[in-house]
Amino acid sequence: MLTCLLFKLLTLQGHHHLITAMVFGNQIDPLLLCSASEDYIIMWNVDECREKTLKGLTPRGTVLGSPLQTVLCLRFSPDDRALTVCAGNKISMMDVEKQSVLVELKGHLGSVTAVEFCPWQAHTLISVSEDRSFKVWDFCVGSLIYSSSILTAYPLLNLLINEENQQLVTGSADGQLWIFSLMEGHHYHCVAHVDLRKKKETFTTRRMMAEQYSLPEGHQYHCRYEVDKRGEAEATFPVLNLAHCDLCLPDSQGGGFAPECTTCIWIGSSTALFILNLASFELEAALHLKEFQSLSVQVAGSCAVMNEPISAKAVCILSSMFGSKIAVLEISLSALLSAQQCPRAGRMLSVLASSCVLPTSPLYFGIIKEKFPKLANTKRHAVKSVVEDRPLVFHTKVRSSGYTSAPRMAMFSPKTNIKHNNKRSSKYKNNYKCKEYSLESFLPRNLIRQVAVAQAPVAVTCLQFSGDGQQLACGLGNHLSLVFDASLSGAPAAFSGHDGAVNTVCWSHDKRWLLSTARDQTLRVWSVPRTEFVMLLAPDAFPKPVTSAQFYYMDTFILLSSGPEFCLLKYHIDLCRDDIRRYKPKSRYKPIFRLPTTSAADITSLSAVNDFYSHIILTAARDRTVEVFDLNAGCSAAVLAEVHSRPVHRICQNKGSSFIAQQSLAYNLFLTTAVGDGVRLWDLRNLRCVRCFEGHPNRSYPCGVAFSPCGKLMACGAEDRHAYVYEMGSSSFLYRLAGHTDTVTEVAFNPAASQLITATLDGKLQLFVAE
């Protein structure tokens, strides 16, 4: 009935030319409709027109004016009292009741294609134009608040404001999307940039990889998937429409649906419809028009999408680019998701060990006692047996020492009536105290100390706090490793021995040992109290250089990567040294397990938890994949394809802290970062990217990333001399840390205090504390 009514309204009364723009009002009572053509701008009261049509009368609208140029966009204000008319490069605000122009907004150099009112900011209007920029206006006074730079080489076609995340989404004619933050103080900071063509290819590749790993073990075959583009022209997806999508994604904890819907949007293009997740900036579904042979419209010139919340469906109206045909699609969101979501792994993966170590597992060597050859101990026992046969004295009688007689006095009387009252001495009352603090009290913002690690500028390549938060280890580009006090006070302890820049530093769980790797292709284990190395892996120990290394399984193993494989080392550290050959430590190691990556690509980063027993190892390779290994089973468990647009240079797991409690499921989160592609948050349970952080500039230098002890914050370095702190629930940064003199290369949270330490490319450490 409504379709027939609109047909009579637009053909029998008012317009004599082609209608170029239409829009419905935001209020239901009354429901208003406005249409524009080259001759008139007419407003209709839908309820009155319905009544006149039922009575057989001709409905009439109210003429608001006659445009001088083609109207490309119409938009009602939230209260339907004002109407925005975009004609040419001007924006006119019209009073609906008085039928007069309130203000004209001028500033665009091209035709204005879309406008939107900001729901939470009164008197604010945002517009996009063919001049490839967007502008923010105060339409009450007619002033320009903000004007962006030129974003792309193609016109901006559409605009959407996400009220939940306070973000602006705009799309261009070449299939590019930009997301900007509208939060106060962010100054319209760019949050993310999305290329629909690349996202579509990544979405297809991940589906193919997931389907291959969902096959039975005997039917799997490992190969690198590539999208077959032969015979097809490179397609672009112009953004014709942006609309909110009421989509509930499956909960990662189980098979049900999450109680709160994930923020998603519909993207209408000329040949496809997409659902984009605004948290991870990944495609959730792609619907190509060519897949429907019976659809009358294969290439759309315009489209509109409307959600039906009651029936969990969406209706899409398409108009043909080459003709006068119109097609209507009814889409079931649940059916679309079930058909296009990547299949999960055969079993749920978890960082926390949920089963005992199998006898066939390589971790079983950590339970049984390893039988190392004990040549030194054998010689010592032989000498001892010879000494026992010799007389201790040269007398025939030896005076008794009195051990066989009864004691003449009580040497001490133990005190058993001491009342502790669950209190420790003042020396340790502030140490190792497990407490749970609020997020507001843990925001390290204030810079209190800045220290130079060397007299000459030298890059800080890696940072790591000890488990108790008392010491900080850092690797430098001048072959040194330094250990500072957590407050950066006093002279640091220096560990010298490498012949190249230090790549990795890692503390042992008991804080006695420090592991380091360098570009001289060696691995060294240092004694922290003695500041000397106690074990050395020479460059010829492995066929390829060691790229990453760490202690693993509560210091039972050393986990390292060399080329396309990782290796488990069983080691024994012997502090006894020969006085003549002090340069040669007696510690020894033995490789017990090796496993290559599925694609045979070199490993760029690896990560595993050492603070508690875990069977999971994560590796990143040069083919932009992240592979999950289960060492209890001794095999690969899953592969994530196309994780970033460039190889991952850092994997950071949420390892928690002994000073604050976290939910057990939070340990399944991990971060990946790549140069020029931001930081991504992943959930191991469903192997999905759950959020993307791209608001910090990182185009050329591999900057570090770190979890906070509470697991609610993430910090990363950037090339604009700032450190960015994000909250896990938002893609926009929470705040920025200033005061740096160069690119921030590394960040580290103190697991025992509200402290954050950053390192810069010119060799300076900055200590930030909470207020």
Side-chain angles (χ1 to χ4, degrees), residues 252-311:
S252 58
Q253 301 179 16
F257 286 90
E260 297 182 0
C261 295
T262 304
T263 304
C264 297
I265 59 172
W266 282 102
I267 303 175
S269 184
S270 57
T271 58
L273 294 173
F274 303 100
I275 297 179
L276 181 70
N277 190 328
L278 287 184
S280 61
F281 305 117
E282 298 289 342
L283 292 181
E284 299 293 342
L287 199 62
H288 296 273
L289 302 183
K290 65 180 181 180
E291 297 176 355
F292 302 91
Q293 300 295 333
S294 60
L295 190 64
S296 60
V297 177
Q298 295 292 321
V299 180
S302 62
C303 68
V305 182
M306 181 185 68
N307 295 287
E308 296 181 3
I310 299 177
S311 60

Side-chain angles (χ1 to χ4, degrees), residues 422-462:
N422 295 327
K423 292 183 179 180
R424 284 183 165 181
S425 62
S426 60
K427 181 179 179 181
Y428 299 101
K429 66 180 181 180
N430 293 328
N431 295 340
Y432 307 100
K433 183 179 180 181
C434 185
K435 61 181 180 178
E436 187 168 358
Y437 41 83
S438 61
L439 180 62
E440 289 76 12
S441 63
F442 181 75
L443 299 180
R445 297 173 180 264
N446 298 334
L447 176 62
I448 63 170
R449 187 170 289 112
Q450 190 176 44
V451 176
V453 298
Q455 296 181 354
V458 58
V460 178
T461 56
C462 46

Side-chain angles (χ1 to χ4, degrees), residues 296-297 318-327:
S296 60
V297 177
L318 304 171
S319 65
S320 177
M321 181 180 290
F322 309 107
S324 56
K325 294 181 180 180
I326 294 179

Side-chain angles (χ1 to χ4, degrees), residues 49 84 107 124 224 267 274 294 298 320-321 333 341 476 484 487 498 518 523 550 610 621 628 636 674 733 739:
C49 293
T84 303
T124 301
R224 172 113 177 121
I267 303 175
F274 303 100
S294 60
Q298 295 292 321
S320 177
M321 181 180 290
L333 295 179
Q341 286 298 316
L476 307 181
F484 287 86
S487 60
H498 284 293
L523 184 149
Q550 66 167 84
N610 187 45
V628 184
S636 173
F733 66 87

Side-chain angles (χ1 to χ4, degrees), residues 118 120-121 126 134 136 146 161-162 165-169 178-192 281 695 726 730-734:
C118 187
W120 66 90
Q121 293 181 352
I126 303 178
F134 74 90
V136 183
Y146 176 81
I161 294 180
N162 180 19
N165 297 331
Q166 295 188 6
Q167 292 176 347
L168 163 69
V169 184
W178 286 266
I179 296 93
F180 296 90
S181 176
L182 299 179
M183 293 182 180
E184 185 177 358
H186 282 199
H187 308 291
Y188 308 98
H189 187 78
C190 182
V191 175
F281 305 117
Y726 292 85
S730 175
S731 299
S732 301
F733 66 87
L734 187 62

Side-chain angles (χ1 to χ4, degrees), residues 56-101:
L57 302 177
T58 302
R60 296 181 181 274
T62 303
V63 178
L64 299 181
S66 299
L68 299 179
Q69 292 178 298
T70 302
V71 177
L72 297 181
C73 179
L74 296 171
R75 192 70 64 202
F76 276 102
S77 62
D79 56 2
D80 288 349
R81 294 183 179 180
L83 176 69
T84 303
V85 181
C86 302
N89 59 352
K90 294 189 300 183
I91 304 173
S92 301
M93 296 290 299
M94 301 186 65
D95 192 325
V96 173
E97 296 181 357
K98 298 180 181 180
Q99 303 175 16
S100 60
V101 178

Side-chain angles (χ1 to χ4, degrees), residues 654-681:
N654 181 20
K655 302 178 182 179
S657 170
S658 59
F659 297 85
I660 183 172
Q662 289 191 35
Q663 295 182 358
S664 59
L665 298 178
Y667 293 101
N668 294 309
L669 299 177
F670 65 95
L671 297 167
T672 60
T673 179
V675 176
D677 200 25
V679 181
R680 298 182 186 272
L681 177 66

Side-chain angles (χ1 to χ4, degrees), residues 331-576:
I331 305 169
S332 174
L333 295 179
S334 59
L336 182 62
L337 279 182
S338 60
Q340 296 204 0
Q341 286 298 316
C342 298
R344 296 184 180 182
R347 58 186 179 84
M348 189 74 70
L349 299 175
S350 177
V351 171
L352 297 175
S354 58
S355 61
C356 299
V357 177
L358 300 176
T360 57
S361 170
L363 300 178
Y364 192 70
F365 289 95
I367 300 177
I368 61 175
K369 202 169 185 180
E370 185 68 18
K371 296 181 180 179
F372 281 104
K374 299 182 180 180
L375 300 179
N377 292 338
T378 304
K379 293 180 181 180
R380 191 179 297 113
H381 289 312
V383 174
K384 184 177 180 181
S385 62
V386 175
V387 173
E388 287 178 349
D389 296 336
R390 295 178 182 178
L392 297 177
V393 294
F394 299 98
H395 305 284
T396 57
K397 294 183 179 181
V398 180
R399 184 178 179 181
S400 175
S401 60
Y403 284 110
T404 58
S405 61
R408 298 183 178 86
M409 60 178 294
M411 298 182 64
F412 67 92
S413 178
K415 297 180 180 181
T416 59
N417 57 350
I418 298 177
K419 295 183 180 180
H420 295 280
N421 294 328
N422 295 327
K423 292 183 179 180
R424 284 183 165 181
S425 62
S426 60
K427 181 179 179 181
Y428 299 101
K429 66 180 181 180
N430 293 328
N431 295 340
Y432 307 100
K433 183 179 180 181
C434 185
K435 61 181 180 178
E436 187 168 358
Y437 41 83
S438 61
L439 180 62
E440 289 76 12
S441 63
F442 181 75
L443 299 180
R445 297 173 180 264
N446 298 334
L447 176 62
I448 63 170
R449 187 170 289 112
Q450 190 176 44
V451 176
V453 298
Q455 296 181 354
V458 58
V460 178
T461 56
C462 46
L463 286 177
Q464 191 181 55
F465 270 102
S466 59
D468 57 0
Q470 302 298 318
Q471 294 176 300
L472 174 74
C474 62
L476 307 181
N478 62 353
H479 317 165
L480 290 178
S481 298
L482 302 179
V483 173
F484 287 86
D485 184 77
S487 60
L488 299 183
S489 59
F495 298 81
S496 176
H498 284 293
D499 292 331
V502 179
N503 297 327
T504 307
V505 289
C506 179
W507 288 92
S508 64
H509 182 68
D510 56 8
K511 278 78 70 177
R512 297 173 58 194
W513 320 113
L514 184 68
L515 182 148
S516 64
T517 63
R519 292 185 180 179
D520 59 358
Q521 304 180 13
T522 63
L523 184 149
R524 294 174 184 260
V525 179
W526 309 83
S527 173
V528 177
R530 299 185 179 186
T531 64
E532 60 182 11
F533 80 95
V534 292
M535 191 172 72
L536 171 67
L537 270 72
D540 56 353
F542 293 91
K544 290 190 176 182
V546 176
T547 55
S548 300
Q550 66 167 84
F551 292 100
Y552 175 57
Y553 213 65
M554 300 285 285
D555 297 343
T556 306
F557 305 100
I558 291 179
L559 174 67
L560 59 89
S561 61
S562 173
E565 64 181 12
F566 70 89
C567 180
L568 279 183
L569 298 182
K570 184 69 177 177
Y571 66 98
H572 173 73
I573 295 179
D574 190 354
L575 296 179
C576 298

